[in-house]
Amino acid sequence: ADPQLQSLRVPGPDGAMVVANLADRVLAVVLAALEFENGRARRSLEAAKKAPVDSDASDDNDDDDDGAGGKGRQADLLDYWDLLDDDDDDDEELEELLAGGGDSGVGGDSFFDLERSDPFHNIDLRQHAAEYLSKLQQPPSDQALSSKIATALHAATSR
């Protein structure tokens, strides 16, 4: 390994400069990605379970404030992001909306076309992160990190 990288110093939890364990740092980043994807998958599953049978029957009087649910705009943005990032092929209404369909005279949205043409758009980050973490040659030196990895792997594989 590179001696300069092995002696790299970064701010620790208390602000003091400490020698970085780069292997654990990389694992922590991959773990954070897996935890994010696990949370997104969990929210998507919960939303699918709570979705009304008839989408036209959903109440059209939603307020943008925090209301009784206490979620507010942050939850709305997360739900919208999940809708945009959903891999299902039955998103015709969303695609028509994004393409500017109807009488608006607006053409397609080149940002979304470009995004969908990106080869990384269809990569299952959750699957790849879980696969990488499950095939570690050497366990992390930090026991707490090792425990978090085991928990995230269990959540990822128990879809």
Side-chain angles (χ1 to χ4, degrees), residues 88-108:
D88 292 340
D89 292 331
D90 57 352
D91 297 322
E92 294 174 13
E93 291 179 21
L94 176 63
E95 289 182 12
E96 182 179 323
L97 173 70
L98 295 175
D103 297 328
S104 65
V106 178

Side-chain angles (χ1 to χ4, degrees), residues 40-96:
R40 197 170 67 83
R42 185 184 67 250
R43 284 190 308 274
S44 179
L45 183 62
E46 289 170 359
K49 288 179 181 178
K50 292 179 183 178
V53 175
D54 182 10
S55 62
D56 293 335
S58 65
D59 83 355
D60 296 326
N61 296 328
D62 289 342
D63 294 332
D64 287 335
D65 60 2
D66 283 347
K71 291 183 178 178
R73 291 178 188 237
Q74 182 179 5
D76 291 341
L77 288 173
L78 286 172
D79 292 342
Y80 181 68
W81 179 259
D82 288 341
L83 179 64
L84 286 177
D85 203 32
D86 192 7
D87 291 332
D88 292 340
D89 292 331
D90 57 352
D91 297 322
E92 294 174 13
E93 291 179 21
L94 176 63
E95 289 182 12
E96 182 179 323

